[in-house]
Amino acid sequence: MKQRLTNPLFIAAVVGLAYQVLGKYGVAPDFGTWQIGVDIVSYALIGTGVYSTFKKAEEKAEDTK
């Protein structure tokens, strides 16, 4: 399940569906604002993933000492 949820195509489909649903009910922001929000969330998730790999590498280095 985690592998499916982290698939970039799945994430893009969910974001597109969310925008379409919000647009249908008239509460969607303009597309530029929406894209900025999606970018911020994406960068935060990417940064968290990168940070966690550094943390794992640091723990592994400490275990070998």
Side-chain angles (χ1 to χ4, degrees):
M1 181 76 163
K2 181 181 175 186
Q3 187 178 21
R4 180 176 290 170
L5 292 175
T6 57
N7 183 341
L9 294 176
F10 179 77
I11 294 170
V14 169
V15 169
L17 176 66
Y19 187 76
Q20 292 295 321
V21 169
L22 290 174
K24 180 178 180 180
Y25 292 107
V27 293
D30 65 287
F31 189 74
T33 304
W34 177 262
Q35 189 63 44
I36 290 171
V38 170
D39 288 346
I40 290 171
V41 171
S42 298
Y43 293 145
L45 292 174
I46 291 169
T48 308
V50 169
Y51 177 75
S52 70
T53 60
F54 287 135
K55 191 173 181 180
K56 288 178 186 176
E58 185 177 283
E59 290 172 359
K60 198 178 279 188
E62 289 176 3
D63 290 342
T64 59
K65 287 183 179 181

